Amino acid sequence: MIKLAILTPKNSYENIKKSLKGIECEIKYIFYNNLYDLEDLYLKNAQEYDGIITSGPIGYEIIKNSVELFTPLYHFDISKGDLYKYLFNVLKENPQINFSRVYIDFISPEKKEYWFQNIFKKEEEPIFYKINFSNKNLYETLKNNYINLKNENKIDIVLTRISNMVEFLKNENISFDFLFPSEENIRNTVLEVIKDIKILKSEKKQIIFGKILLSNVLKNIEEEIHSISKNCIVKVSDKNLEVLMIYEDFSNSNIALNLKKKFKENFYSGWGKGNNINEARYNAEKAYQKNKETNSEIVYLVSSNSELILSEIDDKKKKSIEIIDKLKKLNITKQNSGKLIELFKSNEKVSCAILANHLNISERTANRLLLKLEENHLAISELIKINRGRPKKIYQFSF
């Protein structure tokens, strides 16, 4: 059974527990009062559980920015529907409310467009202060905001998402409304987490097959590979190597890139993932062929429904590889793909004549190619009026 730990202030416990009634998983609730405890709570409990959920985005951001995550981390959050429902209730109970005197403590100014696009006029907007959810001093910052706004007589009510602020607001006699994710939202989040963890668990057990070709094979090649990952099976045949392991060990050892760094010269490899050896071997062959096409520069991990680039390459080069793959599916050669990418990067608009000259092909062939690109949403055409004759059709690439 899936085991989850939920890190939450104690005063949110009942809401969460009620929402998760009947869900089939083991849940432990771990309480905290200050943000400085979150890092230690994650580290102490992560190995015992399949996933950790925080009751809000603050805990999530603090943990994510404090430690290296080795157990999946998630969080509960409100939806727009939750927020609008609360706002409607506030308005219903306070018909004369002036929203410019409402402080919403969990939305930063840069996020207000997402939550309230076209809802408030500028002068009607609620009060928003910049928030850093990863700051462990956030509680102190919020308390100062409340007091300053109260002393300056700028607020009538605070809308808070942060349950550990409720007691402080009560003690300061500041009107507030506490917003918490709906039961449906909490329940759906946990169901998605369970689904995600099941996928991760099954993926860890999948088979990885590596196909490698070296220009020179060392006598102690197996020892060299086992120095990177002990949990693999190595088969040596002439200059060809085969490596077999489970995905979890493949991921933890980063063996694909470490082998490439260790054996730089004339090194070709392909890595495949599958539910059995044959499926993994088949996918490794596809990855190997793609590696040879890029002259060993790009290392691929191929599965039955995805393709992952393992190499550390910059975004521009990655984009070019993605474009080449798209064009290859249209039976466009690698050489012509490179020339098309040059035109795309220059943001140049082309006619049939220009493209024919650039690719050294006939205008008829260029026209067919441009039509094919347009049909596959890789080019956009427009008609340009000229002094004489029919309008001229030009294209711009949209790779």
Side-chain angles (χ1 to χ4, degrees), residues 89-117:
N89 287 331
V90 169
L91 183 61
K92 188 170 68 172
E93 292 170 11
N94 307 273
Q96 304 303 317
I97 191 168
N98 178 357
F99 277 101
S100 68
R101 293 179 58 81
V102 175
Y103 172 36
I104 302 180
D105 69 4
F106 56 92
I107 297 177
S108 288
E110 67 272 15
K111 298 286 186 181
K112 65 183 181 182
E113 282 300 309
Y114 168 77
W115 291 97
F116 298 116
Q117 190 173 20

mmCIF file of all heavy atoms in Angstrom, residues 89-117:
data_model
loop_
_atom_site.group_PDB
_atom_site.id
_atom_site.type_symbol
_atom_site.label_atom_id
_atom_site.label_comp_id
_atom_site.label_asym_id
_atom_site.label_seq_id
_atom_site.Cartn_x
_atom_site.Cartn_y
_atom_site.Cartn_z
ATOM 1 N N ASN A 89 -18.655 34.541 -0.834
ATOM 2 C CA ASN A 89 -19.179 34.488 0.535
ATOM 3 C C ASN A 89 -18.823 35.752 1.315
ATOM 4 O O ASN A 89 -19.636 36.261 2.097
ATOM 5 C CB ASN A 89 -18.634 33.258 1.266
ATOM 6 C CG ASN A 89 -19.279 31.975 0.779
ATOM 7 O OD1 ASN A 89 -20.420 31.985 0.331
ATOM 8 N ND2 ASN A 89 -18.554 30.874 0.841
ATOM 9 N N VAL A 90 -17.592 36.261 1.096
ATOM 10 C CA VAL A 90 -17.189 37.516 1.755
ATOM 11 C C VAL A 90 -18.101 38.648 1.308
ATOM 12 O O VAL A 90 -18.572 39.459 2.116
ATOM 13 C CB VAL A 90 -15.711 37.840 1.428
ATOM 14 C CG1 VAL A 90 -15.359 39.256 1.877
ATOM 15 C CG2 VAL A 90 -14.782 36.831 2.096
ATOM 16 N N LEU A 91 -18.372 38.709 0.014
ATOM 17 C CA LEU A 91 -19.229 39.766 -0.533
ATOM 18 C C LEU A 91 -20.669 39.625 -0.031
ATOM 19 O O LEU A 91 -21.341 40.622 0.271
ATOM 20 C CB LEU A 91 -19.193 39.698 -2.065
ATOM 21 C CG LEU A 91 -19.963 40.774 -2.830
ATOM 22 C CD1 LEU A 91 -19.425 42.160 -2.506
ATOM 23 C CD2 LEU A 91 -19.868 40.523 -4.342
ATOM 24 N N LYS A 92 -21.128 38.373 0.092
ATOM 25 C CA LYS A 92 -22.489 38.131 0.556
ATOM 26 C C LYS A 92 -22.665 38.584 2.004
ATOM 27 O O LYS A 92 -23.689 39.164 2.379
ATOM 28 C CB LYS A 92 -22.809 36.634 0.425
ATOM 29 C CG LYS A 92 -24.270 36.287 0.691
ATOM 30 C CD LYS A 92 -24.573 34.844 0.316
ATOM 31 C CE LYS A 92 -23.882 33.868 1.235
ATOM 32 N NZ LYS A 92 -24.315 32.465 1.019
ATOM 33 N N GLU A 93 -21.636 38.336 2.815
ATOM 34 C CA GLU A 93 -21.698 38.719 4.232
ATOM 35 C C GLU A 93 -21.379 40.195 4.446
ATOM 36 O O GLU A 93 -21.733 40.767 5.479
ATOM 37 C CB GLU A 93 -20.735 37.847 5.039
ATOM 38 C CG GLU A 93 -21.163 36.380 5.100
ATOM 39 C CD GLU A 93 -20.085 35.484 5.682
ATOM 40 O OE1 GLU A 93 -19.108 36.034 6.229
ATOM 41 O OE2 GLU A 93 -20.233 34.242 5.592
ATOM 42 N N ASN A 94 -20.674 40.806 3.478
ATOM 43 C CA ASN A 94 -20.301 42.229 3.592
ATOM 44 C C ASN A 94 -20.644 42.943 2.287
ATOM 45 O O ASN A 94 -19.752 43.275 1.496
ATOM 46 C CB ASN A 94 -18.799 42.370 3.881
ATOM 47 C CG ASN A 94 -18.355 41.552 5.081
ATOM 48 O OD1 ASN A 94 -18.423 41.996 6.202
ATOM 49 N ND2 ASN A 94 -17.880 40.335 4.816
ATOM 50 N N PRO A 95 -21.934 43.194 2.022
ATOM 51 C CA PRO A 95 -22.362 43.746 0.720
ATOM 52 C C PRO A 95 -21.708 45.076 0.362
ATOM 53 O O PRO A 95 -21.540 45.381 -0.814
ATOM 54 C CB PRO A 95 -23.878 43.916 0.883
ATOM 55 C CG PRO A 95 -24.252 43.013 2.003
ATOM 56 C CD PRO A 95 -23.077 42.956 2.917
ATOM 57 N N GLN A 96 -21.317 45.851 1.370
ATOM 58 C CA GLN A 96 -20.729 47.173 1.123
ATOM 59 C C GLN A 96 -19.194 47.133 1.117
ATOM 60 O O GLN A 96 -18.546 48.173 1.183
ATOM 61 C CB GLN A 96 -21.208 48.169 2.199
ATOM 62 C CG GLN A 96 -22.721 48.288 2.321
ATOM 63 C CD GLN A 96 -23.369 48.674 1.007
ATOM 64 O OE1 GLN A 96 -22.864 49.548 0.298
ATOM 65 N NE2 GLN A 96 -24.475 48.001 0.669
ATOM 66 N N ILE A 97 -18.637 45.945 1.048
ATOM 67 C CA ILE A 97 -17.180 45.823 1.173
ATOM 68 C C ILE A 97 -16.437 46.598 0.095
ATOM 69 O O ILE A 97 -16.861 46.648 -1.064
ATOM 70 C CB ILE A 97 -16.759 44.331 1.136
ATOM 71 C CG1 ILE A 97 -15.292 44.181 1.540
ATOM 72 C CG2 ILE A 97 -16.982 43.714 -0.240
ATOM 73 C CD1 ILE A 97 -14.880 42.747 1.802
ATOM 74 N N ASN A 98 -15.345 47.216 0.498
ATOM 75 C CA ASN A 98 -14.442 47.922 -0.414
ATOM 76 C C ASN A 98 -13.205 47.032 -0.590
ATOM 77 O O ASN A 98 -12.376 46.917 0.315
ATOM 78 C CB ASN A 98 -14.060 49.271 0.183
ATOM 79 C CG ASN A 98 -13.081 50.047 -0.696
ATOM 80 O OD1 ASN A 98 -12.642 49.542 -1.731
ATOM 81 N ND2 ASN A 98 -12.733 51.250 -0.282
ATOM 82 N N PHE A 99 -13.079 46.396 -1.760
ATOM 83 C CA PHE A 99 -11.993 45.424 -1.951
ATOM 84 C C PHE A 99 -10.609 46.070 -1.940
ATOM 85 O O PHE A 99 -9.611 45.379 -1.740
ATOM 86 C CB PHE A 99 -12.208 44.623 -3.232
ATOM 87 C CG PHE A 99 -13.133 43.461 -3.054
ATOM 88 C CD1 PHE A 99 -14.459 43.533 -3.464
ATOM 89 C CD2 PHE A 99 -12.699 42.300 -2.441
ATOM 90 C CE1 PHE A 99 -15.331 42.463 -3.283
ATOM 91 C CE2 PHE A 99 -13.560 41.224 -2.245
ATOM 92 C CZ PHE A 99 -14.874 41.305 -2.662
ATOM 93 N N SER A 100 -10.538 47.375 -2.134
ATOM 94 C CA SER A 100 -9.231 48.037 -2.057
ATOM 95 C C SER A 100 -8.724 48.079 -0.615
ATOM 96 O O SER A 100 -7.577 48.451 -0.366
ATOM 97 C CB SER A 100 -9.306 49.457 -2.622
ATOM 98 O OG SER A 100 -10.092 50.291 -1.803
ATOM 99 N N ARG A 101 -9.585 47.686 0.345
ATOM 100 C CA ARG A 101 -9.193 47.608 1.755
ATOM 101 C C ARG A 101 -9.150 46.141 2.230
ATOM 102 O O ARG A 101 -9.250 45.858 3.413
ATOM 103 C CB ARG A 101 -10.152 48.424 2.622
ATOM 104 C CG ARG A 101 -10.053 49.934 2.351
ATOM 105 C CD ARG A 101 -11.027 50.721 3.216
ATOM 106 N NE ARG A 101 -10.830 50.509 4.642
ATOM 107 C CZ ARG A 101 -9.909 51.109 5.382
ATOM 108 N NH1 ARG A 101 -9.053 51.984 4.820
ATOM 109 N NH2 ARG A 101 -9.820 50.868 6.681
ATOM 110 N N VAL A 102 -9.004 45.240 1.268
ATOM 111 C CA VAL A 102 -8.864 43.815 1.574
ATOM 112 C C VAL A 102 -7.427 43.398 1.254
ATOM 113 O O VAL A 102 -6.945 43.599 0.139
ATOM 114 C CB VAL A 102 -9.854 42.962 0.746
ATOM 115 C CG1 VAL A 102 -9.601 41.477 0.980
ATOM 116 C CG2 VAL A 102 -11.294 43.335 1.080
ATOM 117 N N TYR A 103 -6.743 42.837 2.243
ATOM 118 C CA TYR A 103 -5.370 42.359 2.034
ATOM 119 C C TYR A 103 -5.411 40.853 1.794
ATOM 120 O O TYR A 103 -5.859 40.092 2.642
ATOM 121 C CB TYR A 103 -4.503 42.683 3.242
ATOM 122 C CG TYR A 103 -3.109 42.078 3.228
ATOM 123 C CD1 TYR A 103 -2.382 41.955 2.040
ATOM 124 C CD2 TYR A 103 -2.504 41.643 4.409
ATOM 125 C CE1 TYR A 103 -1.110 41.414 2.029
ATOM 126 C CE2 TYR A 103 -1.225 41.096 4.408
ATOM 127 C CZ TYR A 103 -0.541 40.978 3.217
ATOM 128 O OH TYR A 103 0.722 40.440 3.203
ATOM 129 N N ILE A 104 -4.966 40.419 0.614
ATOM 130 C CA ILE A 104 -4.863 38.990 0.297
ATOM 131 C C ILE A 104 -3.400 38.596 0.467
ATOM 132 O O ILE A 104 -2.542 38.995 -0.323
ATOM 133 C CB ILE A 104 -5.364 38.702 -1.137
ATOM 134 C CG1 ILE A 104 -6.824 39.174 -1.280
ATOM 135 C CG2 ILE A 104 -5.252 37.217 -1.450
ATOM 136 C CD1 ILE A 104 -7.430 38.938 -2.639
ATOM 137 N N ASP A 105 -3.109 37.826 1.514
ATOM 138 C CA ASP A 105 -1.714 37.637 1.924
ATOM 139 C C ASP A 105 -0.978 36.514 1.197
ATOM 140 O O ASP A 105 0.201 36.280 1.447
ATOM 141 C CB ASP A 105 -1.625 37.421 3.439
ATOM 142 C CG ASP A 105 -2.221 36.090 3.904
ATOM 143 O OD1 ASP A 105 -2.647 35.294 3.036
ATOM 144 O OD2 ASP A 105 -2.262 35.842 5.122
ATOM 145 N N PHE A 106 -1.642 35.810 0.296
ATOM 146 C CA PHE A 106 -0.984 34.668 -0.361
ATOM 147 C C PHE A 106 -0.816 34.875 -1.870
ATOM 148 O O PHE A 106 -0.452 33.946 -2.587
ATOM 149 C CB PHE A 106 -1.770 33.375 -0.100
ATOM 150 C CG PHE A 106 -3.215 33.453 -0.522
ATOM 151 C CD1 PHE A 106 -3.614 33.065 -1.783
ATOM 152 C CD2 PHE A 106 -4.176 33.949 0.354
ATOM 153 C CE1 PHE A 106 -4.943 33.144 -2.172
ATOM 154 C CE2 PHE A 106 -5.504 34.022 -0.022
ATOM 155 C CZ PHE A 106 -5.895 33.629 -1.281
ATOM 156 N N ILE A 107 -1.070 36.081 -2.354
ATOM 157 C CA ILE A 107 -0.907 36.373 -3.785
ATOM 158 C C ILE A 107 0.043 37.546 -3.953
ATOM 159 O O ILE A 107 -0.174 38.624 -3.398
ATOM 160 C CB ILE A 107 -2.263 36.688 -4.450
ATOM 161 C CG1 ILE A 107 -3.192 35.471 -4.387
ATOM 162 C CG2 ILE A 107 -2.063 37.107 -5.907
ATOM 163 C CD1 ILE A 107 -4.578 35.710 -4.947
ATOM 164 N N SER A 108 1.116 37.338 -4.718
ATOM 165 C CA SER A 108 2.075 38.407 -5.012
ATOM 166 C C SER A 108 1.540 39.296 -6.124
ATOM 167 O O SER A 108 0.715 38.842 -6.930
ATOM 168 C CB SER A 108 3.418 37.815 -5.463
ATOM 169 O OG SER A 108 4.089 37.230 -4.380
ATOM 170 N N PRO A 109 2.011 40.539 -6.211
ATOM 171 C CA PRO A 109 1.547 41.442 -7.280
ATOM 172 C C PRO A 109 1.709 40.853 -8.681
ATOM 173 O O PRO A 109 0.842 41.032 -9.531
ATOM 174 C CB PRO A 109 2.431 42.683 -7.097
ATOM 175 C CG PRO A 109 2.802 42.676 -5.659
ATOM 176 C CD PRO A 109 2.933 41.231 -5.279
ATOM 177 N N GLU A 110 2.815 40.102 -8.908
ATOM 178 C CA GLU A 110 3.050 39.559 -10.253
ATOM 179 C C GLU A 110 2.099 38.405 -10.587
ATOM 180 O O GLU A 110 1.980 38.008 -11.754
ATOM 181 C CB GLU A 110 4.504 39.095 -10.414
ATOM 182 C CG GLU A 110 4.913 37.908 -9.575
ATOM 183 C CD GLU A 110 5.424 38.292 -8.194
ATOM 184 O OE1 GLU A 110 5.208 39.454 -7.773
ATOM 185 O OE2 GLU A 110 6.022 37.438 -7.535
ATOM 186 N N LYS A 111 1.408 37.862 -9.570
ATOM 187 C CA LYS A 111 0.477 36.757 -9.790
ATOM 188 C C LYS A 111 -0.981 37.217 -9.886
ATOM 189 O O LYS A 111 -1.864 36.418 -10.185
ATOM 190 C CB LYS A 111 0.596 35.732 -8.655
ATOM 191 C CG LYS A 111 1.960 35.060 -8.536
ATOM 192 C CD LYS A 111 2.163 34.046 -9.621
ATOM 193 C CE LYS A 111 3.457 33.260 -9.415
ATOM 194 N NZ LYS A 111 3.665 32.285 -10.484
ATOM 195 N N LYS A 112 -1.224 38.486 -9.606
ATOM 196 C CA LYS A 112 -2.622 38.933 -9.520
ATOM 197 C C LYS A 112 -3.357 38.808 -10.854
ATOM 198 O O LYS A 112 -4.565 38.563 -10.883
ATOM 199 C CB LYS A 112 -2.699 40.373 -9.003
ATOM 200 C CG LYS A 112 -2.096 41.417 -9.927
ATOM 201 C CD LYS A 112 -2.147 42.795 -9.293
ATOM 202 C CE LYS A 112 -1.560 43.832 -10.235
ATOM 203 N NZ LYS A 112 -1.544 45.184 -9.640
ATOM 204 N N GLU A 113 -2.624 38.954 -11.976
ATOM 205 C CA GLU A 113 -3.278 38.833 -13.283
ATOM 206 C C GLU A 113 -3.837 37.431 -13.499
ATOM 207 O O GLU A 113 -4.895 37.256 -14.082
ATOM 208 C CB GLU A 113 -2.292 39.184 -14.407
ATOM 209 C CG GLU A 113 -2.072 40.679 -14.599
ATOM 210 C CD GLU A 113 -3.363 41.416 -14.936
ATOM 211 O OE1 GLU A 113 -4.060 40.976 -15.862
ATOM 212 O OE2 GLU A 113 -3.682 42.404 -14.254
ATOM 213 N N TYR A 114 -3.103 36.448 -13.013
ATOM 214 C CA TYR A 114 -3.571 35.059 -13.151
ATOM 215 C C TYR A 114 -4.884 34.851 -12.381
ATOM 216 O O TYR A 114 -5.822 34.240 -12.888
ATOM 217 C CB TYR A 114 -2.514 34.080 -12.638
ATOM 218 C CG TYR A 114 -3.032 32.672 -12.475
ATOM 219 C CD1 TYR A 114 -3.213 31.849 -13.584
ATOM 220 C CD2 TYR A 114 -3.382 32.177 -11.216
ATOM 221 C CE1 TYR A 114 -3.714 30.563 -13.439
ATOM 222 C CE2 TYR A 114 -3.881 30.884 -11.064
ATOM 223 C CZ TYR A 114 -4.041 30.088 -12.184
ATOM 224 O OH TYR A 114 -4.547 28.815 -12.039
ATOM 225 N N TRP A 115 -4.926 35.366 -11.160
ATOM 226 C CA TRP A 115 -6.083 35.119 -10.303
ATOM 227 C C TRP A 115 -7.260 36.046 -10.605
ATOM 228 O O TRP A 115 -8.414 35.650 -10.476
ATOM 229 C CB TRP A 115 -5.683 35.277 -8.832
ATOM 230 C CG TRP A 115 -4.762 34.214 -8.347
ATOM 231 C CD1 TRP A 115 -3.396 34.287 -8.244
ATOM 232 C CD2 TRP A 115 -5.109 32.895 -7.916
ATOM 233 N NE1 TRP A 115 -2.889 33.114 -7.775
ATOM 234 C CE2 TRP A 115 -3.919 32.236 -7.563
ATOM 235 C CE3 TRP A 115 -6.313 32.215 -7.790
ATOM 236 C CZ2 TRP A 115 -3.896 30.935 -7.095
ATOM 237 C CZ3 TRP A 115 -6.308 30.912 -7.311
ATOM 238 C CH2 TRP A 115 -5.103 30.283 -6.978
ATOM 239 N N PHE A 116 -6.975 37.315 -10.987
ATOM 240 C CA PHE A 116 -8.042 38.307 -11.065
ATOM 241 C C PHE A 116 -8.088 39.074 -12.386
ATOM 242 O O PHE A 116 -8.445 40.243 -12.413
ATOM 243 C CB PHE A 116 -7.890 39.327 -9.925
ATOM 244 C CG PHE A 116 -7.997 38.726 -8.562
ATOM 245 C CD1 PHE A 116 -6.916 38.745 -7.693
ATOM 246 C CD2 PHE A 116 -9.170 38.139 -8.134
ATOM 247 C CE1 PHE A 116 -7.011 38.196 -6.431
ATOM 248 C CE2 PHE A 116 -9.275 37.584 -6.868
ATOM 249 C CZ PHE A 116 -8.192 37.614 -6.016
ATOM 250 N N GLN A 117 -7.700 38.436 -13.472
ATOM 251 C CA GLN A 117 -7.668 39.137 -14.750
ATOM 252 C C GLN A 117 -9.057 39.683 -15.109
ATOM 253 O O GLN A 117 -10.047 38.970 -15.121
ATOM 254 C CB GLN A 117 -7.179 38.198 -15.857
ATOM 255 C CG GLN A 117 -6.905 38.927 -17.157
ATOM 256 C CD GLN A 117 -6.254 38.000 -18.175
ATOM 257 O OE1 GLN A 117 -6.332 36.790 -18.057
ATOM 258 N NE2 GLN A 117 -5.620 38.566 -19.167
#
